[in-house]
């Protein structure tokens, strides 16, 4: 591909590695493309929907004039697979923070798990995690959380189209979810723990699809660089 094609606009499907931030992935591609093609300083590049550092999978990166498509891509249905671990909660609802409370799990059966999923289908009210990038009073929620400040978080409407349990090996429950823009799978895991009369956190997450775009067609930043050589 030529420099002109990247300036004109491309959609690049990246399989984001674990522990990378979405910002790091965009910066890496920007560096690779600028070095390869001597692109102008104001070369436009951005991602269509953040993935947490502890999540892997599909990160859509748009270049040039295609950065105008970001809002449209972000609005599409997303699919995730992952693991919810029951019996313990964390402040961030995932493994970014340490366990802060433990709960009984002996009462949890397959029937209870499958019944609980029904509560989350369709339009639901969901509170974003306190460790999230949403802004409140000019600061991101995670900045308030790390400063030990109490913040009132309002619930938001979100839609879960499919919530399938793919494997039960307690304390781990594997799942596949299709959901609307703005859904926090970490919050889903936390709320699912409550629905099971226990506690839970998200221990693994992978984004597999955004609209018709699939991670099956994605490459790691490392492989993207190799393809350009």
């Amino acid at each position: 591909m030529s420099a002109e094609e990247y300036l004109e606009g491309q959609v690049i499907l990246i399989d984001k590695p674990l522990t990378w931030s979405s910002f790091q992935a965009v910066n890496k591609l920007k560096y690779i493309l600028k070095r390869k093609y001597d692109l102008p300083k104001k070369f436009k590049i951005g991602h269509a929907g953040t993935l947490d550092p502890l999540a892997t999978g599909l990160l859509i990166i748009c270049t040039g004039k295609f950065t105008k498509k970001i809002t449209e891509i972000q609005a599409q249905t997303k699919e995730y697979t992952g693991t919810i671990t029951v019996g313990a909660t964390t402040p961030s609802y995932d493994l970014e923070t340490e366990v802060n409370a433990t709960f009984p799990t002996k009462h949890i059966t397959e029937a209870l798990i499958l019944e609980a999923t029904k509560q989350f289908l369709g339009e639901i009210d969901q509170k974003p995690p306190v460790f999230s990038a949403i802004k409140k009073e000019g600061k991101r929620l995670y900045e308030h959380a790390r400063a030990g400040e109490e913040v009132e978080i309002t619930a938001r409407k979100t839609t879960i189209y499919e919530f399938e349990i793919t494997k039960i090996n307690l304390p781990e429950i594997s799942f596949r979810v299709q959901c609307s823009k703005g859904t926090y799978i970490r919050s889903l895991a936390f709320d699912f723990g409550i629905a099971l009369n226990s506690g839970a956190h998200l221990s693994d997450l992978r984004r597999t699809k955004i609209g018709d775009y699939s991670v099956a067609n994605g490459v790691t930043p490392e492989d993207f660089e190799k393809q350009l050589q």
Side-chain angles (χ1 to χ4, degrees):
M1 210 165 286
S2 66
E4 288 69 30
E5 285 171 302
Y6 283 109
L7 288 168
E8 214 28 59
Q10 293 298 318
V11 172
I12 305 164
L13 306 186
I14 290 296
D15 186 347
K16 187 190 81 64
L18 189 68
T19 74
W20 282 50
S21 70
S22 302
F23 183 69
Q24 275 177 301
V26 170
N27 269 358
K28 177 69 174 172
L29 260 68
K30 190 176 188 177
Y31 172 76
I32 291 165
L33 289 168
K34 279 189 161 186
R35 195 180 58 176
K36 171 78 176 175
Y37 296 111
D38 193 26
L39 294 166
K41 237 181 187 174
K42 288 184 178 177
F43 169 59
K44 285 184 179 174
I45 186 166
H47 66 73
T50 307
L51 258 185
D52 289 335
L54 294 182
T56 64
L58 184 61
L59 187 70
I60 297 179
I61 294 180
C62 299
T63 73
K65 292 175 185 171
F66 277 24
T67 50
K68 289 175 184 171
K69 292 186 175 205
I70 284 174
T71 308
E72 176 197 322
I73 294 169
Q74 278 178 328
Q76 295 179 23
T77 299
K78 295 170 177 65
E79 182 182 87
Y80 296 88
T81 60
T83 305
I84 294 168
T85 298
V86 293
T89 55
T90 72
S92 60
Y93 301 173
D94 66 2
L95 294 174
E96 190 188 328
T97 52
E98 298 291 321
V99 167
N100 63 348
T102 56
F103 300 83
T105 59
K106 282 185 179 174
H107 66 284
I108 298 174
T109 61
E110 183 176 340
L112 180 63
I113 291 165
L114 297 177
E115 191 58 34
T117 61
K118 294 175 187 174
Q119 295 179 33
F120 298 94
L121 288 170
E123 189 178 71
I124 61 168
D125 288 315
Q126 186 185 71
K127 280 192 176 181
V130 69
F131 280 80
S132 64
I134 293 167
K135 281 195 171 177
K136 176 109 179 178
E137 294 160 11
K139 272 204 312 197
R140 300 201 182 274
L141 286 184
Y142 64 75
E143 291 174 325
H144 287 288
R146 284 173 187 156
E149 297 163 1
E150 290 280 323
V151 183
E152 184 59 41
I153 301 171
T154 33
R156 295 144 61 124
K157 298 278 183 198
T158 188
T159 307
I160 308 290
Y161 303 109
E162 290 180 37
F163 187 8
E164 178 193 2
I165 302 301
T166 53
K167 189 181 177 184
I168 300 168
N169 184 18
L170 293 175
E172 295 186 341
I173 302 168
S174 300
F175 66 89
R176 182 186 65 84
V177 162
Q178 277 200 340
C179 56
S180 66
K181 176 196 174 187
T183 304
Y184 278 90
I185 308 299
R186 284 184 285 147
S187 292
L188 180 65
F190 179 82
D191 294 340
F192 194 59
I194 295 168
L196 294 173
N197 297 311
S198 182
H201 61 276
L202 187 67
S203 50
D204 181 63
L205 185 66
R206 183 163 175 77
R207 185 157 64 196
T208 46
K209 287 181 184 173
I210 300 176
D212 292 331
Y213 298 106
S214 171
V215 74
N217 302 316
V219 292
T220 63
E222 195 178 34
D223 285 339
F224 178 76
E225 188 168 18
K226 284 176 187 167
Q227 286 174 4
L228 291 184
Q229 285 168 4

